[in-house]
Structure formats: C-alpha cells, structure tokens
Amino acid sequence: MPSFNRQPSSGPSTPSPPHSPLRSPRYRRSKTGRSFPGQPPGPKTPAQRIAWLFISVIVRRQGIFLFAPLIYITCMLMYMGTVSIEDVQKVKQHKPAPGSVYRSPQLYEKLRPEMDADNSSADAISTIWKKSYKGGIWKPCVKKSTQGLADSNGYIYIEANGGLNQQRTSICNAVAVAGYLNATLLIPNFHFHSIWRDPSKFSDIYDEEFFIEALKHDVRVVDQIPQYLMERFDHNMTNVYNFKIKAWSSIQYYKDHVLPKLLEEKVIRISPFANRLSFDAPPAVQRLRCLANYEALRFASPILTLGENLVAKMKALSANNSGRYISVHLRFEEDMVAFSCCVYDGGKEEKQDMDIAREKGWKGKFTKRGRVIRPGAIRINGKCPLTPLEVGLMLRGMGFDKSTSIYLASGKIYNSEKNMAPLFEMFPLLQTKEMLASAEELDPYRNYSSRMAAIDYTEILVRWTLSDNTT
C-alpha cells in the first residue's frame, strides 16, 4: 500500500493519490465466483452463462474475428431459406451459346402443321435431271495408257482400314503410289476392325480380275508375291518391313523415303493405309486415282446384280414421278455419332451408349488424360452428323414434297425407332434395302457390314449410270 508523507514541509502538503487499478473492479471476478464491490451479479443458469460468455467474447477485439465467419454463414443460411431451389439452379446454369444445342425436334414441331398443309405443286424431282452446263453431255476425263511398263522396283502391300469408303480411298491411293514409284501392287487387304467386324476380302466385294485387267497398262497388280521373295520372310507378311506413314503425306515423301527402302527390300508393307496420301498431288498421280475409282473398281457380280434389282424395284415404286427418285445416304450410325462426340436429345441413355461405343471402338482415345471434349463447340463448328430429322428438313426445304420417292442408303441408324420416325412422316414413300429385298436375298450379306454398304453404293451407282437412258 502506498504511504502518505506525514512530516510537515515548508509548503502545504497533500496526500498522494493511489495508483489506478489495471482493470475496473466491475469486470473482475474472484476465483470463488464472488464479485468485487460494485460488480453486477453474474448469470445463474447454464443458458445465461453461455450467452454471457458469447457476449463477452464478442466485445473483445480478438473475438470478433473468430465469430465473423460464423455470423456470415448464419446470415447466408437464413437468406437461402427464402430462395427456392429452382432459383438457385437458374443462377448456376449459364445460357448456352446460339447453335450449341440440338433443337431440331422443337423446330420440326413448329413447322410440321405448315408442312402437312403444303399442297404446292413443286416439281423439284424433275429439276435435278436438267443439265445446267453448256456442254450438255458428260464426258470421261480419265485417259488410259497404252504404253508398256518399265521393270518393277518391288512389291507394295497395303492394309486398308476403316469402312467401305475409307477402304475404297485406300485402294485408289495405293494404285497412285504404286504407279508413281513404278512398283507392283499386291491386291490390298482389308483390316478387321472392332466396329465393323467384317472379315471380307477384296474379291468378296470387288471384281478382282477386272481390277487387274483395267490397270494393266498403268500399274502392275498381282494377287500374290513370288515365293522366292517370301522365303526371306518365312512366308509371313508380318515379317515384312512395315512403314508407319503419317496421314496426308505428300507423294514426294514416298519418293524420298519409301522408294529407297523398296529398292533395298523389294517387298514393303504399309499398315494402316487410310488417308496416307495428300489431296494436292500432281496431275499424273490424280489420274491414277481417278482411273482406279471410276474405271477399275467394279463390285463383284452378286452385289452388282442385287443392286440392279433394287433399282428396278425403286423405279416401279416411283411411277408417279416417271420412275425418278433420289438416293440419300445417312451417316447416323452408332459409331459415327460416338466418334463425333456430339450431344443430341437422348439424355443419360444416349451418353451411356456413346461412352460404351467409344471405348469399344477406340479404347482410351476419348478418355486419355488431358482430352477435353466440348460438344457445344463441335456443333457450332458444323461437325455434328445430321440426324434423319435434319436430313428430312433439308430435303423439304429444297422443294421435295411427300410424294417424292427416296432410297435410303445407310447402315443401322442409331436408335432408329425414334430417329427415323420423323423422316418417314415427311417422306412416306421412303424405302431401304431391307424393305425392297427379301430376307433370302440379304442373308448372305447380313453379317458383313462392308458388303451391305456395297449394296447401297451399287444401287446409287447403277441408278445414276442408267439415268440418262431411262429418264
């Protein structure tokens, strides 16, 4: 305790005041729970004690920072209780970009009453046979060579992968490469693919003898390599040196890299060979491509005969248009839709189907790390296959009415029961090979996707070949 000075001094003396306490006695409590003099009584019940503790912490500067997040969350929860789930979902969902969502079914429903009521006499089917060029007659531009061939530099064996169209392109490119390198082409082999699962050989689809004969003055083609050469490889083509060539390689690449190896080995293999030659080839190479495609590649006799029968049936069913009809090839098979990565209106079921199809046909290609798929951007860029509905809308927009006969060339349409329904509504005279041919006629081809595609291809070729003579 501070003491006072009791001794008198020369001047007036006053006692020294006591030191100020560190904290007001009103806020101090003893360990026994008793208050200091002047302090209000503390809370008695547990609830009061908790409230008292909460308030005392809040008023301290340090405590406000601890409880601020809790206060914020409490307020947000109270606010969210007044907002519906639908409103929250609307906030989360952003508006899709124009053209990024498949909306053709909604468009069809809007236009259907007008299309059904359309009684116009548009004669679009007759205009497609009118010649819009001055010459008046189509003339072949492929000239066959009549000169002999120099000694061969060796043998080239290719494996054409993909479906019928890719296989056909591979054959034409192989003819062009072999002719340019003055090599002998072995009859191309078709690669067995997990999607198409077709073990067909060249002779099962094309007329092999005709192919060899049509090219004999331009490119040597044989059905087997001499045995003395195959002895070096134990008569096994997998032992032959295989070139891995990038897609769309120039013809100069073949001259600079393939030809030296061909001269050294005398037999080379190129697998796979789809799209392995660029389009911008010199005229001499393009001529060989055209020669193979338009002159040498003729379908095997059974396929050609069935195609001619289908044409005859279609002409009979198109009597209302003087035997005229149009052929349409749809590209809306399951593998095509899966590979495009586009999204339509099938929901979860469609997504599951496409995921399974992608993994089955292209294991890991679409799920590898870093791969980003943007269906909306793909659709905006115009890379989504047209649905049967969209093809129908396009044809009706071109002026073809419901009296138009259509031959539909395609494989098995994905979810055909649903997707084909609107096309049949717009064109009730639509026919397919399954509708025209008997079961007995198609049975030999059912399990061979490339042969089934060849029937459609042949029907189209025969139709346009006969059009000048029959219409």
Side-chain angles (χ1 to χ4, degrees):
M1 294 290 294
S3 61
F4 294 93
N5 186 3
R6 295 180 182 273
Q7 298 296 327
S9 62
S10 58
S13 62
T14 57
S16 297
H19 294 288
S20 299
L22 297 177
R23 193 172 294 175
S24 173
R26 291 183 301 172
Y27 298 108
R28 296 179 62 188
R29 287 178 59 84
S30 67
K31 294 182 179 180
T32 60
R34 290 179 297 180
S35 302
F36 287 97
Q39 180 180 1
K44 302 300 183 181
T45 65
Q48 291 177 335
R49 290 177 180 177
I50 294 175
W52 180 265
L53 177 64
F54 178 77
I55 295 173
S56 64
V57 174
I58 287 294
V59 298
R60 297 170 184 263
R61 287 184 300 175
Q62 297 86 352
I64 193 66
F65 296 107
L66 295 175
F67 283 90
L70 181 60
I71 297 172
Y72 174 78
I73 294 174
T74 303
C75 294
M76 287 297 297
L77 291 175
M78 294 174 62
Y79 171 75
M80 292 298 291
T82 64
V83 181
S84 64
I85 298 298
E86 292 76 9
D87 293 335
V88 177
Q89 291 177 345
K90 290 179 181 179
V91 173
K92 291 177 62 177
Q93 294 176 352
H94 65 279
K95 187 177 181 181
S100 63
V101 179
Y102 175 67
R103 290 174 175 161
S104 296
Q106 291 85 344
L107 176 63
Y108 176 55
E109 289 300 321
K110 182 179 180 180
L111 297 177
R112 186 174 176 181
E114 183 179 349
M115 295 169 69
D116 291 341
D118 184 11
N119 295 319
S120 64
S121 58
D123 193 16
I125 192 70
S126 65
T127 61
I128 60 176
W129 268 268
K130 292 183 179 180
K131 300 178 175 63
S132 58
Y133 55 94
K134 296 180 180 180
I137 300 176
W138 291 103
K139 296 180 179 180
C141 60
V142 179
K143 295 182 179 179
K144 294 184 179 180
S145 177
T146 57
Q147 301 177 357
L149 295 172
D151 293 338
S152 175
N153 290 325
Y155 294 84
I156 294 180
Y157 168 75
I158 67 106
E159 290 185 358
N161 58 309
L164 182 70
N165 287 333
Q166 288 177 297
Q167 291 172 353
R168 193 177 182 97
T169 300
S170 297
I171 295 169
C172 297
N173 287 342
V175 169
V177 169
Y180 188 79
L181 300 182
N182 192 29
T184 301
L185 178 65
L186 183 66
I187 288 292
N189 184 51
F190 296 151
H191 180 68
F192 183 84
H193 195 275
S194 58
I195 289 289
W196 296 277
R197 305 187 66 83
D198 189 344
S200 297
K201 304 299 181 184
F202 186 95
S203 58
D204 295 324
I205 300 176
Y206 298 103
D207 189 332
E208 187 173 307
E209 293 183 1
F210 182 84
F211 181 74
I212 295 174
E213 180 67 20
L215 296 172
K216 66 179 182 180
H217 295 298
D218 294 273
V219 181
R220 288 186 181 88
V221 183
V222 297
D223 59 358
Q224 62 179 356
I225 296 175
Q227 294 299 316
Y228 75 91
L229 284 176
M230 290 305 299
E231 288 177 358
R232 294 170 47 201
F233 309 102
D234 294 330
H235 301 278
N236 188 346
M237 287 302 301
T238 60
N239 294 330
V240 175
Y241 181 84
N242 183 33
F243 260 100
K244 293 292 186 179
I245 298 178
K246 293 182 179 180
W248 315 114
S249 294
S250 66
I251 194 66
Q252 189 64 36
Y253 175 88
Y254 287 89
K255 182 178 180 181
D256 295 340
H257 298 87
V258 178
L259 181 57
K261 196 68 176 180
L262 175 66
L263 293 172
E264 177 186 348
E265 296 286 330
K266 293 302 180 183
V267 182
I268 63 170
R269 180 165 62 103
I270 306 177
S271 175
F273 193 69
N275 303 322
R276 290 306 189 268
L277 181 62
S278 64
F279 288 128
D280 55 346
V285 176
Q286 300 286 32
R287 184 186 73 84
L288 292 175
R289 271 175 163 166
C290 293
L291 180 63
N293 190 44
Y294 297 107
E295 298 287 342
L297 282 176
R298 186 172 71 180
F299 287 108
S301 181
I303 295 176
L304 195 61
T305 301
L306 181 55
E308 291 173 347
N309 291 339
L310 296 182
V311 169
K313 292 180 180 181
M314 280 301 302
K315 287 174 61 63
L317 293 172
S318 307
N320 62 322
N321 282 313
S322 302
R324 300 186 178 107
Y325 65 92
I326 60 175
S327 296
V328 177
H329 186 256
L330 288 179
R331 297 304 309 272
F332 204 71
E333 300 91 347
E334 184 177 72
D335 62 285
M336 187 71 180
V337 179
F339 190 83
S340 70
C341 295
C342 295
V343 174
Y344 294 89
D345 57 348
K348 293 182 179 180
E349 182 179 356
E350 176 188 308
K351 183 181 184 306
Q352 183 178 3
D353 291 343
M354 295 300 101
D355 289 342
I356 294 174
R358 291 187 192 108
E359 188 61 25
K360 177 182 176 182
W362 302 276
K363 296 185 183 298
K365 179 180 177 70
F366 296 95
T367 57
K368 63 183 180 181
R369 189 174 182 179
R371 180 73 181 260
V372 178
I373 299 175
R374 298 184 176 90
I378 297 173
R379 181 166 295 280
I380 290 176
N381 291 334
K383 295 183 178 180
C384 290
L386 293 179
T387 62
L389 166 60
E390 291 173 324
V391 172
L393 291 173
M394 181 181 66
L395 292 174
R396 291 300 296 264
M398 293 171 65
F400 297 104
D401 58 19
K402 61 173 57 179
S403 67
T404 304
S405 296
I406 294 180
Y407 177 81
L408 188 65
S410 67
K412 184 179 180 181
I413 300 299
Y414 169 66
N415 200 359
S416 60
E417 185 175 351
K418 170 191 173 184
N419 290 318
M420 288 297 297
L423 186 59
F424 276 110
E425 290 173 355
M426 286 184 273
F427 296 97
L429 300 182
L430 184 146
Q431 300 288 328
T432 66
K433 57 181 175 292
E434 289 80 7
M435 298 167 66
L436 293 171
S438 65
E440 292 75 14
E441 289 177 308
L442 289 179
D443 280 344
Y445 309 99
R446 288 191 188 278
N447 296 325
Y448 303 94
S449 59
S450 292
R451 299 186 206 182
M452 291 287 278
I455 294 172
D456 287 329
Y457 204 112
T458 304
E459 200 281 343
I460 295 173
L461 288 177
V462 173
R463 173 67 188 132
W464 287 106
T465 302
L466 299 178
S467 61
D468 286 337
N469 299 324
T470 58
T471 60

